[in-house]
Amino acid sequence: SDPDNYIFSLSIEAVGLTRQQKLVVADRILTQAEDLCKSEDIMTCGDVFRSRAILLIKQNQLLQAQKFFLKSFYYAQTHKDRLLETTASLNMGWIAMRLEHYDEAINWSNSAQKEAKDIDNEDLEQTALGNLGWAYYQIGDTERALSIFLETQKSAKRLGDISVELKLTGNIGAIYHDTGDPIRATQSYLQSLFLAKQIDSKEDIIYALKELARVSV
């Protein structure tokens, strides 16, 4: 069989098992894929590094995961895999954020956004922008964060991605609240409540109600 497809299918299966919390089986499958990658230079081995990083995140080993995302990034660059390069940049930005390295998160998210635009992948571009906005928010640049969130919110609405739109609307409400604009904060949280009810997300409904109560005090 074609080793490229076989290795890719192993890496996808490992991610699925990781999401189902079947970490031991996922680890075994990834080890098998990694062994195959040692013997020859195969395009899809970059996906194996990414899958290993996802498993390491589930095991709360963020620094190790970061190393594997970086490996997938360099592998994607040398093998001219633009999609993997974009997702690797995105993941590096996300992990930098988790480690509270916000300047690093901004650099990686910026790269991911540009790469996503280049390959015309609007979903990834939207995710990168959302991460970028959050990183700016964390370093206290609320003005830049707000303008990014508003732009990304429009894109999410256009793509019909209600869960992303909901998250962004909540972030926008938080910025308005932080910057002393209770009227706009209230509008944002009412919109959040409406979107949360649309997708029946109990957690988000509770969050929106709580924030509305906080704003109106």
Side-chain angles (χ1 to χ4, degrees):
S1 71
D2 174 10
D4 246 328
N5 285 336
Y6 181 57
I7 286 171
F8 184 66
S9 70
L10 288 176
S11 67
I12 293 293
E13 190 184 348
V15 171
L17 289 162
T18 300
R19 297 219 164 102
Q20 293 164 24
Q21 297 289 341
K22 295 176 179 167
L23 307 187
V24 177
V25 194
D27 178 62
R28 195 164 62 232
I29 284 168
L30 278 177
T31 303
Q32 187 189 343
E34 285 160 349
D35 287 344
L36 291 167
C37 285
K38 280 174 195 160
S39 57
E40 49 189 311
D41 187 33
I42 297 163
M43 179 86 169
T44 52
C45 289
D47 294 288
V48 176
F49 297 140
R50 187 187 57 177
S51 300
R52 173 62 73 187
I54 292 166
L55 176 60
L56 285 160
I57 286 169
K58 268 278 188 260
Q59 296 166 324
N60 287 316
Q61 296 184 49
L62 289 184
L63 289 171
Q64 281 297 101
Q66 190 178 38
K67 283 179 191 163
F68 276 91
F69 279 138
L70 197 54
K71 271 177 104 161
S72 78
F73 174 77
Y74 288 129
Y75 203 90
Q77 279 198 325
T78 54
H79 292 76
K80 311 236 179 314
D81 184 340
R82 298 294 305 281
L83 180 61
L84 182 64
E85 187 182 338
T86 308
T87 56
S89 297
L90 199 58
N91 286 319
M92 286 296 290
W94 179 85
I95 220 156
M97 201 115 63
R98 287 285 301 272
L99 295 166
E100 296 180 9
H101 300 160
Y102 298 116
D103 289 342
E104 208 180 302
I106 287 167
N107 290 338
W108 281 109
S109 301
N110 252 324
S111 295
Q113 188 261 325
K114 290 190 181 87
E115 287 155 16
K117 203 178 182 69
D118 278 352
I119 61 167
D120 202 21
N121 190 316
E122 218 173 340
D123 281 330
L124 290 179
E125 190 182 351
Q126 183 180 280
T127 307
L129 276 170
N131 289 350
L132 193 58
W134 190 248
Y136 278 122
Y137 181 55
Q138 292 298 326
I139 61 167
D141 192 342
T142 48
E143 203 177 316
R144 197 177 298 197
L146 181 60
S147 94
I148 290 169
F149 285 147
L150 288 166
E151 184 192 334
T152 317
Q153 184 193 38
K154 274 188 214 145
S155 151
K157 199 189 278 277
R158 195 176 62 251
L159 292 171
D161 196 335
I162 295 175
S163 60
V164 172
E165 190 189 343
L166 169 61
K167 197 167 102 184
L168 290 161
T169 307
N171 292 347
I172 290 163
I175 292 181
Y176 284 139
H177 188 235
D178 287 354
T179 52
D181 191 341
I183 292 169
R184 280 187 173 149
T186 301
Q187 285 170 343
S188 290
Y189 290 132
L190 283 170
Q191 177 68 2
S192 285
L193 184 61
F194 171 73
L195 292 167
K197 284 179 173 172
Q198 261 190 301
I199 56 170
D200 196 25
S201 170
K202 305 276 188 292
E203 198 183 324
D204 289 304
I205 290 168
I206 292 164
Y207 170 77
L209 289 168
K210 248 160 84 177
E211 292 307 307
L212 278 164
R214 203 160 68 97
V215 172
S216 58
V217 169

